[in-house]
Amino acid sequence: MSIQVNHLTKRYGDFTALDDIDLAIDDGELVALLGPSGCGKTTLLRSIAGMEFADSGNILLEGRDMTFEPIRHRQVGFVFQHYALFNHMSVFENVAYGLRVRPRAQRPPEAEIRRRVHELLDLVQLDWLAKRFPPQLSGGQRQRIALARALAVEPRYLLLDEPFGALDASVRKELRRWLRRLHEELHVTSLFVTHDQEEAMEVASRIVVMNHGRIEQVGTPETVYDYPATPFVSTFIGSVNVLHGTLRDGHFDTGGWHLPIPDADANLRSRRQDAFVRPHDIEIVRAPDTPWPVRIRHVQPMGSSYHVEVTPVTDTVQGPQVENDYLTVELTRQAFKALALEVGEVVGIRVHHLHWFHQETAPALEEAV
Amino acid sequence: MSTTQNILRPAQRTDMAPAESIPWVRYALSTLALLIIALFLILPLVAVLFEAFREGVGAYVDAITDPYTGHAILLTLITALICVPLNTLFGIAAAWCIARFQFPGRSLLTTLIDLPFSVSPVIAGLVFILIFGSQGWFGGWFAGHGFPIIFALPGIVLATMFVTLPFVARELIPLMQEQGAEQEEASIMLGASAWRMFWTITLPRIKWGLLYGIILCNARAMGEFGAVSVVSGHIRGATNTLPLHVEILYNEYQFSAAFAVATLLAGLAIVTLIIKSIVEWRQQRQWENASS
């Protein structure tokens, strides 16, 4: 176990930044700490780096308790959101810094420093900028230099705090792929903080989802998307429609709608129950006698797909209880064109997949409809 | 000027037209500013020079080369040489504490640093008399051990230090707060010791602000009159600094000599202003480079 965090807790006055965090990261993993702002992900990262000290709990690196070790004993490379490059030094000197500040006995000779710096600048494909100063570089270039600088000290762990947060969308996409490839090349155990679920899904081999100072779920991008462990994970990772209702006789009942759940235990009952449906798990059908009629409210072209907002149409007294009063349906381009939908039109829906959580905490029960 | 106008032009369409957009306001304001500067800054300076040379160059040279003047210059330099480095050290330490750490009493420290600005220098001098004077709390003890403070160099240094304490700290606190700690954290993360971090990261980033603070501190240390006047005793050839020497000469109706010595202080002020302008220009350029 490369990084191990046990029962880590940290409070700032009344605010609990970290609440009994347990986390284990293997050698060579690329893990994302994902959560909304204020969820404690950056505090956790800074605690592992040694820039913050927790109130209780401990941090083991390679099995050694490093909770109170100073930063320089932790062999950590850190990349800051706003790069934190030394603006008064050239790019070359920035990258060389970690080698130059070593105690004389461990400092490599000048020729070796030059070789190493150019090697790293080649790695981030920016050797041609060696003589420039950071203010002369673009955001993407600065962050790559910051990464080269962090790697110069040959860290065992690479910690990145929202590394792409300050960049343009297109640069961000490019750098994500680039970081992924770099990690495949170097295999240094890496942990990065992000609030962007897409970024976490794309880059990380495992995702740690955090909320309110707690870990909600740890798993591969596929697991956290397909088998969310908590309602929070359901709503935070990808978009989801939330229905309020009850569970009875193998049905999920919401208002006048009875969504059958085959194979479900017929005795399963719960009075107040939320069900979660992904937009792409809803199909729009043109059937005259559909049990679940909806009216098309808005069509949002998303490029490769279409997001269609629909409101339930009911003749019964009580309609289905849908959060925000509308459902979002995601259709492929072909499906949308084939249906030729018009705003205001009444159509039917089919729900292919929904999941729920018993009493908010139990693991997800998955059923196909 | 033209770029400012271009930026402001769209604002003219809104209900509040900026003053710059009306030509006569602009000219009136700049004329007024120039007049005030001429009246309160240039005219006195010219008067000092005029009075200094009223009795000819010979009298001017005599006044400057007078042994008592020489001693006053020496004493002023010694005082500045002691006060400025000490207050520089204090300023850096205080700014670092306030800009980088949260601790109980932090806002109190910030307020206390400003105290010498808000207290009259004469009161500051009197406080030192109260503490270290022969009738004061500790004065008798120090004097008894052959180390008099009041009416001696230590008193002058203490009073000057008190008065010039805020300059470096006030200059550095906002600068360091604005810069943030991220680059320093990056330095530590890369394995630098705190000492190494200070010399390679912190100091290069604050150097122009620091120099600016030192210049202001030095100018005040050499020119301070009130507090020093109270504690020095005006002993000619012993505890007379330059500003005090000017006053004594003036009170003895040696007007020409008084103004001659005053030109030394005025010269110091002008040199300080020139250095300050250069530093400000460099600082501005550094910021422009950093933000571009």
Side-chain angles (χ1 to χ4, degrees), chain B residues 149-275:
Chain B
I149 289 178
I150 300 302
F151 305 144
L153 180 67
I156 296 171
V157 169
L158 278 176
T160 308
M161 276 200 65
F162 178 84
V163 172
T164 58
L165 183 95
F167 287 97
V168 174
R170 288 305 301 171
E171 202 56 46
L172 292 184
I173 290 166
L175 180 67
M176 290 180 77
Q177 275 173 337
E178 193 198 298
Q179 286 178 342
E182 236 186 22
Q183 291 191 23
E184 286 163 4
E185 282 179 345
S187 162
I188 296 288
M189 288 301 323
L190 289 166
S193 62
W195 189 242
R196 184 85 193 213
M197 176 200 80
F198 176 77
W199 286 106
T200 56
I201 307 299
T202 311
L203 196 61
R205 296 182 76 213
I206 62 169
K207 64 181 172 195
W208 294 113
L210 180 65
L211 193 55
Y212 187 68
I214 291 173
I215 288 167
L216 289 180
C217 180
N218 182 57
R220 183 67 188 268
M222 289 187 170
E224 173 54 26
F225 178 81
V228 172
S229 169
V230 175
V231 297
S232 94
H234 305 255
I235 306 160
R236 219 185 279 212
T239 64
N240 228 10
T241 61
L242 265 185
L244 301 183
H245 191 55
V246 173
E247 194 213 12
I248 288 180
L249 289 173
Y250 190 84
N251 287 344
E252 289 171 350
Y253 304 104
Q254 303 185 38
F255 299 131
S256 183
F259 282 109
V261 175
T263 59
L264 293 178
L265 281 170
L268 173 79
I270 290 167
V271 169
T272 304
L273 275 177
I274 291 169
I275 299 174

Side-chain angles (χ1 to χ4, degrees), chain B residues 85-105:
Chain B
L86 286 178
N87 274 341
T88 302
L89 283 181
F90 166 80
I92 293 172
W96 193 320
C97 276
I98 288 167
R100 293 289 178 263
F101 301 106
Q102 295 288 336
F103 53 91

Side-chain angles (χ1 to χ4, degrees), chain A residues 52-66:
Chain A
E52 306 265 351
F53 292 99
D55 301 329
S56 62
N58 57 25
I59 294 165
L60 305 174
L61 300 178
E62 307 288 336
R64 276 186 57 204
D65 189 342
M66 298 297 239

Side-chain angles (χ1 to χ4, degrees), chain A residues 8-224:
Chain A
L8 208 66
T9 298
K10 167 102 183 161
R11 286 190 191 81
Y12 297 104
D14 288 340
F15 178 73
T16 305
L18 297 176
D19 188 0
D20 198 24
I21 295 282
D22 282 312
L23 182 63
I25 291 163
D26 275 328
D27 253 335
E29 273 196 291
L30 176 52
V31 175
L33 291 177
L34 174 65
S37 56
C39 73
K41 54 194 193 301
T42 295
T43 308
L44 178 56
L45 194 79
R46 290 173 65 92
S47 301
I48 294 170
M51 282 190 278
E52 306 265 351
F53 292 99
D55 301 329
S56 62
N58 57 25
I59 294 165
L60 305 174
L61 300 178
E62 307 288 336
R64 276 186 57 204
D65 189 342
M66 298 297 239
T67 317
F68 298 106
E69 283 294 304
I71 290 167
R72 62 178 177 280
H73 294 167
R74 298 189 186 209
Q75 293 181 285
V76 158
F78 201 96
V79 175
F80 295 81
Q81 179 179 4
H82 299 287
Y83 331 120
L85 290 176
F86 308 135
N87 286 343
H88 58 286
M89 295 183 190
S90 67
V91 163
F92 180 93
E93 285 305 322
N94 264 277
V95 179
Y97 188 85
L99 301 171
R100 292 206 195 283
V101 298
R102 284 189 182 168
R104 199 172 295 276
Q106 296 161 33
R107 199 181 307 157
E110 185 60 28
E112 171 69 6
I113 291 179
R114 302 194 79 80
R115 194 187 63 74
R116 286 266 289 279
V117 171
H118 284 298
E119 198 178 276
L120 281 158
L121 288 174
D122 273 334
L123 182 74
V124 300
Q125 297 155 5
L126 291 175
D127 198 30
W128 55 288
L129 291 175
K131 290 198 177 80
R132 301 273 185 90
F133 284 78
Q136 298 169 306
L137 310 185
S138 73
Q141 289 169 340
R142 284 189 221 186
Q143 200 55 296
R144 274 146 75 185
I145 297 299
L147 197 62
R149 184 179 68 176
L151 289 171
V153 293
E154 296 180 319
R156 295 191 79 117
Y157 318 98
L158 188 59
L159 307 179
L160 306 102
D161 184 11
E162 302 251 6
F164 314 125
L167 300 171
D168 294 341
S170 62
V171 181
R172 199 152 63 209
K173 273 204 145 63
E174 187 197 317
L175 273 191
R176 280 184 206 161
R177 276 197 295 276
W178 178 80
L179 177 67
R180 171 113 230 177
R181 279 205 309 276
L182 190 78
H183 180 259
E184 279 161 11
E185 220 171 296
L186 300 174
H187 270 292
V188 52
T189 307
S190 306
L191 191 56
F192 77 99
V193 157
T194 179
H195 61 265
D196 181 347
Q197 42 112 352
E198 204 181 300
E199 186 169 295
M201 304 273 289
E202 191 177 326
V203 179
S205 53
R206 266 203 312 156
I207 297 178
V208 178
V209 187
M210 292 183 68
N211 190 31
H212 293 312
R214 294 178 150 275
I215 291 180
E216 296 267 336
Q217 187 173 8
V218 181
T220 62
E222 225 172 359
T223 314
V224 292

